[in-house]
Amino acid sequence: METCSSIDDRSERKLDTDAQIKSLQPAPQKNSEQYLKDRDSCTKSFDNWTEYDQITFVEHLLSRMCHFQHGQINSFLKPMLQRDFITALPAKGLDHVAETILSYLDAKSLCAAEAVCKEWYRVISEGMLWKKLIERMVRTDTLWRGLAERRGWAVYLFKGKAGDTPTDHKFYRNLYPQIIEDIERIETNWRTGRHTLQRIHCRSETSKGVYCLQYDETRIISGLRDNTIKVWKSKMDSDSQMWDRNTLECVQILTGHTGSVLCLQYDENIIISGSSDSTVRVWDVHTGEMLNTLIHHCEAVLHLRFCDGIMVTCSKDRSIAVWDMQSPTEINLRRVLVGHRAAVNVVDFDEKYIVSASGDRTIKVWSTSTCEFVRTLNGHKRGIACLQYRDCLVVSGSSDNTIRLWDIESGACLRTLEGHEELVRCIRFDNKRIVSGAYDGKIKVWDLAAALDPRSPAGSLCLRTLVEHSGRVFRLQFDEFQIVSSSHDDTILIWDFLNVPIETSSTSSTRSPTRTYTYVNN
């Protein structure tokens, strides 16, 4: 413990040290009489010279000075050279230039700029720079875009409707931190597994099971084991003018297949489905009318993808078919790809590669333009049931209960994810996470960045396991806010990570994730 005497001793030592430092510093010097006498005449001569002569003379003087003198002159010049260009530009009628410069700032820098002075604050507020920052994020980030639509503040951005757009920049200044808080809460919900759950009972007439699905903001289209395609649509809320998922109902049942609907995909015009009846059928997405039937495969069509006038289908008959799509009624076979030694369970493609996976334990890569074989990815110990391919990454799931990440260019396996107890039936990934569904009835959420980092321990990769299905998980799709999954239990589940009640700290540790069940009748 310190005593009063010890504190006094320290104070005395500090005083002695300060005195020693002062003694080392040069005493203030006064200008000599000769300097004062000569200065005015030198200045008069200097003023009479041209600018070039003045600069030459100063350079000559600087060359004759020592380093210490240079430092003194530098400290004198530095504040003289600084310019507040943001304040100066509006004074010259260039407000728009000042606004453009500050519009490149991120949120943290914009906050700091507001505090510089009143003029900077005025430029930011009158230029509506917080509004422009939010608009820039909405244009470039799908999470922001989706949040704007779901939370309803999209109407206040860009031009908007007459009378909808607030003129006060404070609205947008206050909105920004609310958006950030919303984004952080969504991320926390994904990591902790907190969600609300909506359950749709498909109520199949005969055999139970939902083999495939795809969704957008207004609908879910599902392919069922009972040979039908069911279209579920939500209604628009009259107050918020947004689609209300709680109002989903079956509005259309498409019949025509004579076997289970195993795969489907739709766009703004058509639905294309593949079935265990070996056919591929094309439907009008608006009317449900069957437009075309493609008969090529001799066994069940297990998966299909179409994009930009190309369709790829694969079958239990071990083949892959590449089709040219001129129109819904004019779809012609371009090439048949053979090489797999068992059923081809899944295909995916882009403008460079077609990727296929099979029960023969291999993934094969083909050229999209030439349809020529490129390479085989080996590693799974049993048949492969699912995959997704995007950019240079392939993620696959297998009946060996594992998920593998591959570099498509080198063919190298980058990581193996373990955790499912049965066959991994469906898998999707985005920029942040991988979501997988398996025959064990579980859906697992994985950290993609951690999975791609070889230094990450295996135990840190699975963020959450979601258990609600009572049967095998057949298909899933997800975005930044939700997972939509289907199962052998004849249900479609919507796992919502956005609209989760906010819990207080006193209850969050004891309560399980919030679940809301909505039962939808036909």
Side-chain angles (χ1 to χ4, degrees):
M1 181 181 292
E2 288 186 337
T3 63
C4 292
S5 59
S6 64
I7 294 172
D8 291 341
D9 291 343
R10 281 218 311 264
S11 299
E12 289 175 3
R13 286 198 300 271
K14 186 177 184 300
L15 290 172
D16 292 341
T17 304
D18 291 345
Q20 291 173 1
I21 292 172
K22 285 182 179 179
S23 66
L24 295 174
Q25 293 176 343
Q29 296 183 6
K30 293 183 178 180
N31 293 317
S32 65
E33 291 183 7
Q34 185 64 37
Y35 164 78
L36 294 173
K37 182 180 178 181
D38 296 340
R39 182 186 62 183
D40 292 339
S41 62
C42 288
T43 302
K44 188 177 292 185
S45 298
F46 185 85
D47 289 341
N48 291 328
W49 295 338
T50 64
E51 285 188 3
Y52 179 76
D53 291 339
Q54 290 173 344
I55 293 170
T56 304
F57 179 70
V58 172
E59 288 176 349
H60 176 68
L61 287 179
L62 289 172
S63 68
R64 299 176 66 84
M65 292 180 180
C66 66
H67 184 71
F68 169 75
Q69 290 171 313
H70 290 154
Q72 294 292 308
I73 291 171
N74 181 62
S75 62
F76 174 73
L77 286 174
K78 199 169 184 179
M80 294 178 66
L81 295 173
Q82 292 176 343
R83 290 289 184 273
D84 182 356
F85 57 90
I86 296 299
T87 300
L89 286 168
K92 296 183 180 295
L94 299 173
D95 296 66
H96 64 286
V97 177
E99 290 171 11
T100 301
I101 292 169
L102 293 180
S103 70
Y104 287 99
L105 298 180
D106 58 19
K108 184 177 180 181
S109 302
L110 201 55
C111 282
E114 281 183 324
V116 170
C117 64
K118 289 182 179 179
E119 184 61 22
W120 283 47
Y121 182 84
R122 185 194 67 79
V123 172
I124 291 169
S125 61
E126 292 184 3
M128 302 291 281
L129 296 192
W130 283 104
K131 177 176 182 281
K132 291 176 181 177
L133 174 60
I134 295 171
E135 289 173 344
R136 186 167 77 239
M137 296 302 298
V138 169
R139 277 194 300 266
T140 58
D141 191 304
T142 56
L143 175 57
W144 282 70
R145 191 179 310 125
L147 204 55
E149 294 166 354
R150 286 167 172 80
R151 290 303 195 214
W153 43 265
V155 297
Y156 302 121
L157 302 178
F158 307 105
K159 289 185 178 180
K161 297 177 183 178
D164 281 348
T165 306
T167 55
D168 187 357
H169 83 282
K170 290 181 180 179
F171 172 84
Y172 301 99
R173 179 67 180 82
N174 295 330
L175 176 61
Y176 189 91
Q178 295 174 23
I179 297 170
I180 296 301
E181 185 179 345
D182 228 359
I183 290 171
E184 290 173 349
R185 190 181 300 117
I186 293 166
E187 187 63 29
T188 299
N189 290 341
W190 273 99
R191 289 187 171 273
T192 59
R194 296 192 68 246
H195 61 273
T196 57
L197 190 73
Q198 182 178 349
R199 188 185 299 269
I200 300 173
H201 284 278
C202 292
R203 308 194 188 282
S204 301
E205 292 293 331
T206 52
S207 51
K208 307 290 185 181
V210 186
Y211 279 129
C212 53
L213 63 82
Q214 184 182 335
Y215 72 87
D216 57 36
E217 287 306 305
T218 66
R219 62 193 159 197
I220 300 173
I221 300 181
S222 56
L224 280 72
R225 191 180 178 191
D226 68 2
N227 308 351
T228 66
I229 297 171
K230 288 189 175 181
V231 181
W232 311 82
K233 278 196 173 182
S234 53
K235 296 176 182 178
M236 181 173 284
D237 185 273
S238 57
D239 296 327
S240 65
Q241 293 299 301
M242 291 187 291
W243 296 99
D244 183 3
R245 271 288 171 82
N246 292 316
T247 63
L248 273 169
E249 59 182 359
C250 183
V251 296
Q252 209 168 33
I253 299 177
L254 311 185
T255 59
H257 280 296
T258 57
S260 300
V261 180
L262 304 178
C263 55
L264 65 78
Q265 184 184 341
Y266 71 85
D267 63 13
E268 63 275 10
N269 298 313
I270 57 173
I271 305 168
I272 302 184
S273 58
S275 167
S276 58
D277 65 10
S278 306
T279 68
V280 174
R281 296 178 189 257
V282 184
W283 317 75
D284 186 297
V285 74
H286 305 291
T287 65
E289 178 189 359
M290 190 190 303
L291 304 175
N292 199 352
T293 300
L294 306 177
I295 300 173
H296 164 74
H297 291 289
C298 56
E299 292 192 65
V301 180
L302 301 179
H303 200 250
L304 64 84
R305 300 295 297 167
F306 71 87
C307 182
D308 296 332
I310 300 174
M311 179 171 67
V312 181
T313 60
C314 62
S315 169
K316 191 176 178 181
D317 65 12
R318 308 183 186 183
S319 74
I320 301 158
V322 182
W323 308 77
D324 289 316
M325 302 174 61
Q326 305 298 325
S327 70
T329 56
E330 189 178 352
I331 302 175
N332 302 308
L333 183 64
R334 181 202 297 181
R335 185 82 173 265
V336 177
L337 311 181
V338 293
H340 283 293
R341 293 176 286 105
V344 185
N345 295 316
V346 59
V347 289
D348 204 353
F349 75 95
D350 64 10
E351 67 279 357
K352 188 173 185 181
Y353 293 126
I354 297 170
V355 185
S356 58
S358 167
D360 64 9
R361 310 180 186 182
T362 68
I363 297 170
K364 291 189 180 293
V365 182
W366 320 75
S367 168
T368 303
S369 58
T370 66
C371 294
E372 297 299 322
F373 171 74
V374 177
R375 65 179 60 88
T376 298
L377 311 183
N378 290 297
H380 278 296
K381 297 175 182 177
R382 298 187 68 182
I384 302 164
C386 57
L387 66 73
Q388 183 185 349
Y389 157 54
R390 193 179 70 186
D391 298 328
C392 291
L393 183 63
V394 175
V395 181
S396 59
S398 165
S399 56
D400 63 13
N401 305 348
T402 69
I403 297 163
R404 287 179 180 256
L405 283 69
W406 311 81
D407 183 323
I408 196 169
E409 298 293 351
S410 67
C413 180
L414 306 174
R415 172 76 81 160
T416 301
L417 307 179
E418 299 179 337
H420 281 293
E421 298 164 10
E422 293 185 48
L423 179 150
V424 182
R425 180 65 176 80
C426 49
I427 199 151
R428 305 298 295 169
F429 70 90
D430 63 8
N431 295 326
K432 292 182 180 178
R433 49 186 74 92
I434 302 168
V435 182
S436 59
Y439 276 6
D440 57 14
K442 297 174 182 177
I443 293 173
K444 288 184 178 287
V445 181
W446 312 79
D447 187 323
L448 176 60
L452 291 172
D453 185 350
R455 299 168 296 180
S456 300
S460 68
L461 304 181
C462 184
L463 302 176
R464 189 57 52 177
T465 300
L466 306 174
V467 185
E468 285 293 346
H469 281 296
S470 59
R472 296 171 171 179
V473 181
F474 284 141
R475 193 61 54 90
L476 62 81
Q477 182 185 341
F478 77 98
D479 55 42
E480 291 90 346
F481 310 102
Q482 63 193 335
I483 301 170
V484 180
S485 59
S486 66
S487 168
H488 190 268
D489 63 16
D490 210 39
T491 67
I492 297 171
L493 299 187
I494 303 173
W495 315 71
D496 186 346
F497 297 94
L498 173 62
N499 300 300
V500 180
I502 301 173
E503 293 185 347
T504 61
S505 58
S506 60
T507 60
S508 60
S509 60
T510 57
R511 291 177 59 186
S512 60
T514 305
R515 298 186 177 112
T516 302
Y517 296 87
T518 303
Y519 297 91
V520 182
N521 294 318
N522 287 353

